[in-house]
Each structure stands twice: as structure tokens, then as C-alpha cells.
Amino acid sequence: MTSPWPGTTALAEYQSGDPQAALDAAISLIQGYCGWHIAPSRDDDVVLDGSGHYIQSLPTLMLTAITDVVDDDVALTDDDYDWSEDGYMIRVTTSTLSQSTNARGWTYKLRSVTATITHGYAELPGELYSAALVIATLAQTPASAITSQTAGPYSIQMATRSDGVPVGIYLPNDIRSILDKYKIQGVA
């Protein structure tokens, strides 16, 4: 079985300054931080732990369609739930959505809510496009110095750019503030 993790060829490409390797790493870092793929729009079958509340969160912040929902082995019709583009669903108690519709709870059972969803931005938001380029560029900026820091018996050495920023792939604070708009809450 072939490992899904990068091998020596991928490492050599990244270390040699291959821009695609740096972009792939930046995109992966962004998606991991945000907790979902973000773009492009795609269909996914998701299996969720029941929330036990009237709101059931989905792993997206750009929901465009739901085609199938099952709650605790009961297939729901479109009249049994409503959904938000922000990535959550509510169960309803009436067969038609109206001003008097009340929410009811989802199951509390683990892995008991499934849905087929269409989600993600059709086009990548420009600020995320730029963020990926910045992260990839920072990852490929050559070191100009070695910086040492010591605190008591502990010492660390790192390669830095001319402005003292460490070299490598990371999320600078200004990029994090952009990504936070696309981050699913509860994702570390």
C-alpha cells in the first residue's frame, strides 16, 4: 500500500523551491486551519454526530443545496427541515414552512445524522487566493540569518529572513485574521 503522506520526491521538490509544492502546502495549511475545503463547490455525503438540539451544524460555511437528510434512520423530506447558507439545519414540527413553524431537536446519537450537501464557493474568494500566495512565498523565502533564543537552560536556533521572521510555512497573524472569516467554529 502506498502511503498518502509525502515521500522523498515531494520533499525534494519542496526544498528545491518548486512553487507548486509550496502552493500545495499553503492550500493544505489554509484548509486545515479553516476546517473545510472552501472552494470549489462540490457534493459531499456527510455523517454527523447528532447535536441533540434544534440546530445541526454542517462542515461548511457556504451551503448551496441539500438533497438528502436522514436523522436517526428516518429519511426527512424538504418540509421536515430548513437550512442556512451558513452551514446549519433546523428540524421543524410542521409539514409546511410558515411563520408559525417551530423547531424541534435533532437526535443526540453519534453518527446518526447524514446529509448529501453541495457546498463551497464556486470561485475562490480573492483574499484567500492572495493568502495562499503570501504563505507560499513566505515558505520559499531564503534564510538570511540564523537566530538564537535562550531562556534559562533552553535554547532554540532558527533560520530567519532579513526582517527577523522565521523561515518556513506558517500562518502569520495578519493572514489568520483573514482566514478566521472562513473558519468553522470549534476547529483548532
Side-chain angles (χ1 to χ4, degrees):
M1 173 186 247
T2 304
S3 172
W5 290 91
T8 55
T9 302
L11 178 61
E13 289 171 354
Y14 181 78
Q15 289 177 333
S16 72
D18 178 19
Q20 187 60 54
L23 279 170
D24 290 345
I27 292 165
S28 180
L29 190 65
I30 289 169
Q31 291 173 333
Y33 180 80
C34 292
W36 64 299
H37 79 284
I38 304 169
S41 179
R42 70 181 192 201
D43 295 332
D44 281 325
D45 294 323
V46 295
V47 178
L48 308 162
D49 293 339
S51 67
H53 303 285
Y54 71 96
I55 295 177
Q56 180 66 53
S57 296
L58 296 164
T60 185
L61 292 179
M62 177 50 72
L63 184 63
T64 55
I66 300 179
T67 54
D68 294 302
V69 178
V70 176
D71 182 14
D72 198 19
D73 294 325
V74 176
L76 304 182
T77 68
D78 291 346
D79 294 332
D80 294 327
Y81 63 93
D82 197 8
W83 58 273
S84 166
E85 185 179 82
D86 293 334
Y88 64 89
M89 303 181 292
I90 60 169
R91 288 287 307 270
V92 294
T93 58
T94 60
S95 61
T96 59
L97 295 175
S98 67
Q99 299 244 353
S100 62
T101 299
N102 294 315
R104 64 172 277 194
W106 292 87
T107 184
Y108 59 88
K109 294 180 181 176
L110 303 178
R111 301 172 318 281
S112 293
V113 175
T114 61
T116 300
I117 63 174
T118 303
H119 68 125
Y121 291 88
E123 293 185 26
L124 185 67
E127 61 189 351
L128 294 180
Y129 184 93
S130 298
L133 293 176
V134 168
I135 294 166
T137 300
L138 289 173
Q140 298 223 314
T141 301
S144 61
I146 301 293
T147 301
S148 294
Q149 294 178 349
T150 303
Y154 304 102
S155 179
I156 185 171
Q157 290 186 343
M158 64 190 110
T160 60
R161 300 184 327 210
S162 59
D163 59 2
V165 174
V167 174
I169 192 153
Y170 67 99
L171 291 174
N173 288 337
D174 55 339
I175 297 294
R176 283 179 195 261
S177 66
I178 293 168
L179 298 183
D180 284 344
K181 293 186 278 186
Y182 302 92
K183 183 179 178 182
I184 294 175
Q185 295 305 310
V187 176

